[in-house]
């Protein structure tokens, strides 16, 4: 059983960032033990080490060095540091950082041996780069290593590197690297350079990616995308054969675990997609989406065991109910989230989403008649499991913060009047639409899970303006209770319970 302090990859990443920030400028790290308790409590330190090594390219620091030496054995650390030094996609500062660490742990090395690996970004392409580019097509982790490296460079060096790739490579290997650059940073100079190079790549992968991007592009982006598509057509790329290309890459594996949670009070949902091969090895991806901004974050492993996969899933969901869903349904849900993201999609997601390439999307629709919910049915909706998370916290929005200020100056017996007067301010038009769609999307998930009665009730609630207003009032009631509970205000908690808790 996983202890309550186990963190998922996103939370470990956030904790590392927090420690680096809080201990900036510190030299005596041993005197700050309280900062490491959460990472110390993690049963599996390999995930912590993996994320610390990603920080070497992003923001190498003395804190990262200290944490690596805390959680990594000397032999493993030595091996991984040499891998950083010899990796073409490691930045110069990352290599220098690794060299400095090797000196600190007193391994056998020499400046002459290490110096030959220190190169400027515009000189990094050597004899085995093509092999790395080829491997990146089948291994998203290699692809992401390149993108992490690119992100660590200055804007000028990004352009130098992209031009070097464009001059030396074409077709699918080049496009595989540049598609996530464009999709994740389209309005930057690097993103525009990637788009320009994709137009001359002669790649079916570029043709597919740009056609897809064109469907959600704004007016400012569409002309440049169309120009690159025209260049691809002139080079003879006129058919989208990318699906077959990726299907061939995935032919040795099959879908494994596909899960999603109900949305919480901020619209967040946790998604798992994974595939398993004949040897029992799993390619695993965790994604966070919401109904405001679409794809929020993504993390993956290219080669883990079934046991490791199941342990990460348990840690990721940590008691929250997750639904097993058909891959085709989940692909449609993610496609919908992509449209919300527009052109602000994390490059990690662009790389990992190819695990779904051989899966067709399924229609997301409900076939229910609208019925009038009676009092008992409506009260049942208020008790559904997912509603435990449907409340607004203190900093949810400016409108809710204003409401909290009024609340603190109002006697409990007047809370209902205050809610009624401010409901449309908190659930203004756009917020009302998003929460209404959240009800509908949750009805879909209930339908998928086989709970037809709950799906029917939620679908009817979605179509009942009067009852929906009462539902939103209940969300505010719950938010008030949670607010005073977080403040440990016993008097207000008791007053609220007396009014609203059965």
């Amino acid at each position: 059983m996983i202890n309550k302090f186990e963190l998922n990859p996103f939370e470990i990443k956030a904790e590392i960032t927090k420690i680096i920030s809080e201990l900036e400028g510190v030299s005596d790290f041993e005197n700050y033990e309280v900062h490491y308790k959460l990472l110390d409590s993690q049963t599996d330190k390999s995930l912590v080490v993996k994320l610390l090594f990603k920080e070497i390219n992003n923001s190498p620091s003395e804190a990262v060095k200290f944490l690596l030496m805390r959680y990594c054995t000397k032999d493993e650390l030595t091996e991984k540091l040499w891998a950083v030094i010899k990796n073409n996609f490691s930045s110069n500062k990352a290599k220098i950082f690794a060299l400095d660490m090797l000196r600190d742990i007193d391994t056998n090395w020499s400046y002459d041996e290490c110096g030959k690996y220190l190169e400027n970004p515009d000189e990094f392409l050597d004899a085995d780069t093509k092999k790395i580019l080829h491997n990146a097509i089948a291994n998203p982790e290699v692809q992401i290593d390149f993108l992490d490296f690119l992100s660590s460079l200055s804007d000028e060096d990004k352009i130098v590197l992209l031009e070097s790739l464009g001059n030396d490579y074409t077709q699918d290997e080049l496009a595989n690297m540049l598609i996530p650059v464009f999709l994740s940073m389209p309005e930057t100079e690097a993103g525009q350079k990637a788009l320009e190079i994709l137009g001359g790549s002669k790649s079916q992968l570029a043709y597919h990616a740009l056609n897809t991007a064109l469907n959600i592009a704004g007016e400012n982006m569409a002309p440049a995308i169309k120009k690159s598509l025209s260049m691809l057509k002139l080079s003879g790329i006129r058919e989208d054969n990318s699906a077959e290309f990726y299907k061939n890459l995935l032919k040795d594996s099959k879908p494994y675990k596909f899960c999603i949670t109900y949305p919480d009070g901020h619209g967040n949902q946790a998604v798992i997609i994974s595939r398993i091969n004949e040897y029992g090895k799993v390619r695993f991806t965790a994604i966070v989406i919401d109904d405001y901004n679409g794809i929020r974050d993504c993390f993956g492993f290219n080669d883990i065991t079934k046991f490791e996969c199941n342990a990460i899933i348990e840690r990721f969901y940590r008691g929250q109910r997750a639904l097993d869903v058909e891959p085709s349904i989940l692909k449609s849900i993610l496609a919908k989230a992509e449209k919300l993201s527009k052109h602000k999609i994390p490059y990690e997601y662009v790389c990992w989403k190819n695990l779904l390439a051989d899966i067709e999307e399924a229609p997301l629709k409900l076939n229910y008649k609208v019925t009038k919910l009676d009092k008992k049915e409506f009260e049942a909706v208020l008790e559904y499991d997912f509603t435990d998370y449907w409340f607004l916290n203190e900093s949810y929005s400016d409108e809710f913060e204003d409401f909290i200020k009024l609340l603190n100056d109002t006697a409990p017996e007047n809370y209902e009047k205050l809610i009624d007067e401010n409901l449309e301010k908190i659930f203004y038009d756009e917020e009302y639409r998003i929460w209404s769609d959240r009800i509908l999307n949750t009805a879909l998930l209930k339908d998928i899970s086989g709970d037809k009665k709950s799906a029917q009730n939620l679908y009817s609630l979605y179509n009942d303006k009067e009852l929906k207003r009462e539902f939103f009032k209940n969300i505010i009631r719950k938010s008030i209770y949670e607010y005073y509970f977080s403040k440990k205000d016993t008097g207000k908690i008791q007053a609220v319970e007396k009014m609203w808790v059965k």
Side-chain angles (χ1 to χ4, degrees):
M1 182 177 179
I2 293 178
N3 74 61
K4 64 180 180 180
F5 298 112
E6 293 288 357
L7 305 179
N8 67 47
F10 301 109
E11 292 168 328
I12 294 175
K13 184 178 176 183
E15 185 65 18
I16 290 171
T17 301
K18 177 183 173 185
I19 292 172
I20 292 171
S21 175
E22 290 179 343
L23 300 187
E24 185 176 1
V26 167
S27 57
D28 53 338
F29 292 98
E30 292 81 2
N31 295 326
Y32 292 83
E33 288 291 320
V34 67
H35 289 77
Y36 319 128
K37 283 186 176 180
L38 203 49
L39 292 184
D40 287 348
S41 71
Q42 301 307 297
T43 304
D44 181 9
K45 298 297 193 300
S46 65
L47 185 55
V48 177
V49 171
K50 183 181 182 69
L51 290 170
L52 284 168
F53 266 92
K54 291 182 79 68
E55 287 298 320
I56 292 180
N57 256 329
N58 297 332
S59 55
S61 66
E62 290 300 311
V64 172
K65 185 184 297 184
F66 174 81
L67 292 173
L68 280 171
M69 295 177 74
R70 188 179 184 91
Y71 301 125
C72 203
T73 65
K74 181 178 177 180
D75 288 345
E76 182 187 9
L77 187 54
T78 301
E79 180 183 349
K80 289 181 179 296
L81 289 171
W82 271 110
V84 170
I85 292 167
K86 295 179 179 181
N87 189 344
N88 290 326
F89 295 151
S90 295
S91 65
N92 220 40
K93 68 179 180 179
K95 293 180 180 182
I96 293 170
F97 176 88
L99 286 173
D100 192 42
M101 276 207 75
L102 283 171
R103 182 186 61 191
D104 286 349
I105 60 179
D106 195 28
T107 56
N108 295 319
W109 64 280
S110 69
Y111 278 113
D112 289 340
E113 170 67 12
C114 301
K116 67 184 181 182
Y117 297 110
L118 299 177
E119 304 176 52
N120 294 322
D122 58 333
E123 299 170 343
F124 94 103
L125 291 170
D126 61 15
D128 62 345
T129 299
K130 185 171 179 63
K131 180 180 177 182
I132 293 173
L133 293 178
H134 178 74
N135 289 341
I137 289 180
N139 186 343
E141 286 189 316
V142 176
Q143 195 179 10
I144 290 167
D145 282 345
F146 165 75
L147 294 159
D148 287 341
F149 167 67
L150 182 72
S151 296
S152 73
L153 302 179
S154 67
D155 290 343
E156 182 179 346
D157 285 339
K158 283 185 177 75
I159 300 302
V160 170
L161 175 55
L162 294 175
E163 288 179 339
S164 296
L165 285 171
N167 289 335
D168 292 348
Y169 301 97
T170 58
Q171 298 187 331
D172 296 334
E173 290 167 342
L174 174 66
N176 188 58
M177 288 301 199
L178 297 191
I179 287 167
V181 176
F182 166 61
L183 293 180
S184 64
M185 52 181 84
E187 296 177 357
T188 67
E189 189 177 355
Q192 290 296 303
K193 175 57 68 174
L195 175 60
E196 177 188 326
I197 297 171
L198 284 170
S201 65
K202 301 179 181 179
S203 166
Q204 59 186 328
L205 305 186
Y207 187 79
H208 169 76
L210 297 186
N211 267 311
T212 303
L214 190 60
N215 292 331
I216 57 175
E219 292 182 3
N220 59 325
M221 293 297 305
I225 296 173
K226 288 178 179 178
K227 180 179 179 182
S228 287
L229 280 170
S230 296
M231 292 172 62
L232 285 168
K233 290 176 182 177
L234 287 172
S235 69
I237 307 296
R238 297 177 178 276
E239 293 185 15
D240 185 355
N241 298 315
S242 60
E244 290 303 314
F245 177 88
Y246 284 117
K247 284 179 182 178
N248 187 56
L249 285 178
L250 297 170
K251 66 182 180 182
D252 295 328
S253 66
K254 61 182 180 180
Y256 182 47
K257 300 267 188 177
F258 283 71
C259 319
I260 189 169
T261 58
Y262 291 107
D264 65 13
H266 291 257
N268 295 308
Q269 292 176 272
V271 176
I272 295 291
I273 62 176
S274 61
R275 303 181 69 94
I276 190 167
N277 65 22
E278 60 182 314
Y279 304 106
K281 288 302 184 87
V282 177
R283 303 177 79 184
F284 168 93
T285 308
I287 306 160
V288 176
I289 65 176
D290 71 30
D291 48 19
Y292 291 92
N293 301 300
I295 310 294
R296 289 271 310 283
D297 207 348
C298 181
F299 192 91
F301 300 100
N302 195 59
D303 186 20
I304 59 176
T305 65
K306 287 173 65 175
F307 176 82
E308 289 171 321
C309 174
N310 294 335
I312 294 171
I313 290 175
E314 185 178 348
R315 189 187 307 185
F316 189 58
Y317 289 130
R318 204 167 36 237
Q320 189 176 359
R321 186 183 176 193
L323 303 175
D324 292 321
V325 297
E326 289 295 321
S328 57
I329 293 288
L330 201 50
K331 184 169 183 177
S332 297
I333 291 172
L334 289 172
K336 186 177 177 181
E338 285 181 40
K339 290 179 180 178
L340 279 178
S341 300
K342 296 181 180 177
H343 278 298
K344 296 179 181 178
I345 301 177
Y347 58 73
E348 293 89 347
Y349 174 77
V350 178
C351 300
W352 284 108
K353 67 173 283 190
N354 290 329
L355 296 187
L356 297 166
D358 60 346
I359 294 166
E360 298 294 329
E361 291 184 29
L364 301 177
K365 59 183 180 180
L366 292 166
N367 296 310
Y368 292 98
K369 292 182 179 179
V370 177
T371 59
K372 182 66 177 178
L373 299 182
D374 60 29
K375 182 179 179 182
K376 185 178 179 180
E377 288 171 325
F378 179 67
E379 288 178 349
V381 170
L382 299 181
E383 297 297 321
Y384 286 164
D385 49 3
F386 62 84
T387 63
D388 290 345
Y389 305 95
W390 281 26
F391 61 88
L392 316 181
N393 57 26
E394 185 177 359
S395 58
Y396 180 84
S397 65
D398 292 342
E399 292 77 14
F400 190 66
E401 287 184 15
D402 291 341
F403 175 79
I404 291 294
K405 293 174 185 175
L406 295 172
L407 183 74
N408 287 326
D409 294 328
T410 303
E413 58 267 25
N414 294 320
Y415 284 174
E416 281 292 346
K417 182 173 183 291
L418 188 69
I419 293 170
D420 194 63
E421 291 173 347
N422 287 274
L423 190 67
E424 276 72 26
K425 295 177 183 177
I426 297 169
F427 289 99
Y428 53 89
D429 289 349
E430 181 64 10
E431 190 74 1
Y432 180 90
R433 182 194 64 77
I434 288 173
W435 274 89
S436 296
D437 286 348
R438 192 173 300 167
I439 293 170
L440 187 63
N441 292 335
T442 306
L444 175 70
L445 293 176
K446 284 293 183 183
D447 181 69
I448 291 168
S449 72
D451 188 349
K452 306 299 182 182
K453 177 60 176 174
S454 295
Q456 169 71 70
N457 287 347
L458 288 166
Y459 183 73
S460 296
L461 173 64
Y462 168 79
N463 286 283
D464 189 324
K465 189 174 181 179
E466 181 182 343
L467 267 187
K468 195 156 51 176
R469 189 176 194 278
E470 185 60 31
F471 183 80
F472 291 154
K473 286 173 70 174
N474 194 70
I475 288 174
I476 301 301
R477 295 185 191 109
K478 184 177 291 187
S479 302
I480 292 171
Y481 178 83
E482 293 290 342
Y483 169 72
Y484 284 122
F485 188 83
S486 70
K487 299 297 181 184
K488 298 181 172 60
D489 190 326
T490 305
K492 292 291 178 66
I493 291 172
Q494 290 176 346
V496 167
E497 288 179 341
K498 186 176 179 180
M499 290 186 297
W500 297 330
V501 179
K502 293 182 181 178

